[in-house]
């Protein structure tokens, strides 16, 4: 079992930056690809970013590419999402996720999810 807890969300203005964190626990954490999704009322859950178990491979949704950076520090059991140049459309609840399969992390069918942290970007 992997437990995930997000933090770092808040209210910011367009153009600002935020750094989200996901604290993980579990014996197999270092073996799990991880990712970030976001959810906004009226929209489908949207893929934001993913990262391989060792951080070597990263992927981003088209809407955040060039602005967001995903990273992880396995020694601290942490994953991060650095969000720069925030836009109002980035508003939503951000969830971290983990699964042994990297494809599942991309598609959103992964087994483990956090409770989410809310990001609100005013324009």
């Amino acid at each position: 079992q992997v437990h995930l807890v997000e933090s770092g969300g808040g209210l910011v203005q367009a153009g600002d930056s935020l750094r989200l964190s996901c604290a993980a626990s579990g014996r197999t954490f270092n073996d799990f690809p991880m990712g970030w999704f976001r959810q906004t009322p009226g929209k489908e859950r949207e893929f934001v970013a993913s990262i391989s178990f060792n951080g070597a491979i990263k992927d981003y949704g088209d809407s955040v590419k060039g602005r967001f950076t995903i990273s992880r520090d396995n020694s601290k059991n942490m994953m991060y999402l650095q969000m720069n140049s925030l836009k109002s459309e980035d508003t939503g609840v951000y969830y971290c996720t983990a699964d042994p399969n990297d494809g599942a992390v991309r598609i959103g069918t992964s087994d483990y999810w956090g409770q989410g942290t809310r990001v609100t970007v005013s324009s």
Side-chain angles (χ1 to χ4, degrees):
Q1 182 75 21
V2 176
H3 296 92
L4 307 171
V5 180
E6 303 94 337
S7 63
L11 174 62
V12 298
Q13 293 186 333
D16 286 352
S17 297
L18 276 177
R19 184 178 177 87
L20 305 184
S21 299
C22 177
S25 61
R27 292 185 293 107
T28 61
F29 168 76
N30 288 350
D31 296 329
F32 280 30
M34 300 183 69
W36 291 93
F37 281 75
R38 65 189 181 190
Q39 181 78 65
T40 300
K43 297 181 179 180
E44 296 182 354
R45 187 167 57 188
E46 180 184 13
F47 170 75
V48 176
S50 64
I51 186 168
S52 60
F53 73 96
N54 62 357
I57 302 173
K58 303 175 182 179
D59 200 7
Y60 299 92
D62 289 339
S63 63
V64 307
K65 194 171 298 182
R67 299 187 297 119
F68 291 10
T69 302
I70 189 171
S71 62
R72 66 191 297 165
D73 185 345
N74 289 345
S75 69
K76 299 180 179 179
N77 295 330
M78 296 290 292
M79 181 182 64
Y80 307 98
L81 184 69
Q82 179 66 46
M83 305 185 295
N84 297 328
S85 301
L86 283 164
K87 306 174 181 179
S88 60
E89 54 261 42
D90 295 319
T91 294
V93 178
Y94 284 70
Y95 300 89
C96 65
T97 187
D99 193 273
N101 182 267
D102 57 352
V105 169
R106 281 290 308 276
I107 299 300
T109 58
S110 48
D111 289 337
Y112 304 106
W113 296 85
Q115 297 297 316
T117 184
R118 176 168 291 277
V119 173
T120 303
V121 184
S122 62
S123 60

